[in-house]
Amino acid sequence: MGYGISSSSVWLPWYVDIAMFATVFYYIGFIFKKYNILKLLNENKIFYFPLAFVWLYMIFKGSFELAIRNYNIYGLGVVGAVSGIVIVYYIASYVANNYGIVSVNILKTIGKYTLYILIFHNLFASYMREFLYPSLNTDTFYFLTFHTVVQVAVGVGVGIIFDKFILKPFRNNKKRYEAAY
C-alpha cells in the first residue's frame, strides 16, 4: 500500500506512506524469527552465494532509498536489502566464532557508535568527497573502500569524544542529583 501511494506522487504527511512501506521489513523480520530462517541459513552455507549475488547486484545496479521514495525495482530492492542483512549477519557470526577477541571488540566498538557513523555520513560525506579529496577518482572500488573507512573512523572518533566529554559528565551529574534527593 505504501509503495502504491508513493508511486502515485501523492506523499502523505509525516511520511506515513514510507512507514507503511517499511512494514514489509517488520513482517520479513517476524517471518525470519518465527521460522528460525537465520539459523537455517547459517547452518546451510550454500544459500549465501545467491544472497551475496543479489546484494551485490543491488549495490551496483541502483539504490533503494526509502527516505526519498526511490524504490528502483520494488521487489528486487526488498530482496536485496534482506540479502544484505543476512550476509552481514553471517559475516558477524563468522567473525565472532573464528576470530580473536580483538577483532570482535573492534566490531563491537563500530557497532556501538553506528549512530555517530550514520550522522557523520549523512551530514558530511558529500563535503568530504568534494573538499578533502576532490582529485580522487570516485568511481573505483578503492575510493569506495577508502571513503567508507574514513567515515567509520571519524564517526567512531566523534562518538568516543562525545561519550567521554559530554554524555559521561551528564550521566555523573544526573546520578549525583538523584542521590541527593
Side-chain angles (χ1 to χ4, degrees):
M1 188 168 159
Y3 174 72
I5 293 171
S6 294
S7 299
S8 66
S9 299
V10 175
W11 292 1
L12 297 178
W14 307 292
Y15 299 101
V16 172
D17 51 325
I18 295 172
M20 286 190 294
F21 183 84
T23 58
V24 169
F25 294 104
Y26 283 104
Y27 184 70
I28 290 170
F30 171 76
I31 296 297
F32 269 52
K33 174 95 171 152
K34 183 176 180 180
Y35 297 109
N36 270 339
I37 294 176
L38 281 179
K39 183 179 179 186
L40 174 76
L41 291 173
N42 210 17
E43 291 171 353
N44 301 307
K45 309 286 191 256
I46 192 74
F47 291 115
Y48 283 99
F49 179 73
L51 290 173
F53 179 74
V54 170
W55 186 40
L56 290 173
Y57 177 77
M58 284 306 299
I59 289 172
F60 290 109
K61 179 65 177 167
S63 65
F64 179 74
E65 303 282 341
L66 284 177
I68 60 172
R69 298 169 176 91
N70 178 14
Y71 304 123
N72 208 350
I73 305 168
Y74 171 71
L76 194 58
V78 173
V79 172
V82 172
S83 297
I85 291 167
V86 171
I87 295 295
V88 169
Y89 173 81
Y90 172 71
I91 292 169
S93 174
Y94 181 81
V95 169
N97 294 330
N98 297 313
Y99 284 90
I101 195 75
V102 173
S103 300
V104 172
N105 285 339
I106 290 171
L107 289 177
K108 282 183 180 178
T109 302
I110 291 171
K112 181 179 178 181
Y113 296 110
T114 300
L115 184 60
Y116 297 103
I117 295 168
L118 290 173
I119 290 170
F120 184 78
H121 167 74
N122 283 331
L123 294 178
F124 300 112
S126 60
Y127 297 115
M128 284 175 43
R129 185 178 295 130
E130 292 173 18
F131 298 115
L132 292 181
Y133 30 83
S135 61
L136 296 178
N137 183 2
T138 60
D139 296 332
T140 65
F141 176 76
Y142 302 110
F143 172 78
L144 180 63
T145 303
F146 174 73
H147 191 60
T148 302
V149 168
V150 169
Q151 289 181 57
V152 168
V154 172
V156 168
V158 167
I160 290 170
I161 290 169
F162 190 79
D163 278 357
K164 188 171 187 170
F165 295 111
I166 296 174
L167 290 182
K168 188 176 181 182
F170 177 74
R171 286 185 197 129
N172 289 341
N173 287 338
K174 184 177 177 184
K175 287 178 186 175
R176 280 190 224 131
Y177 178 76
E178 290 171 352
Y181 294 100

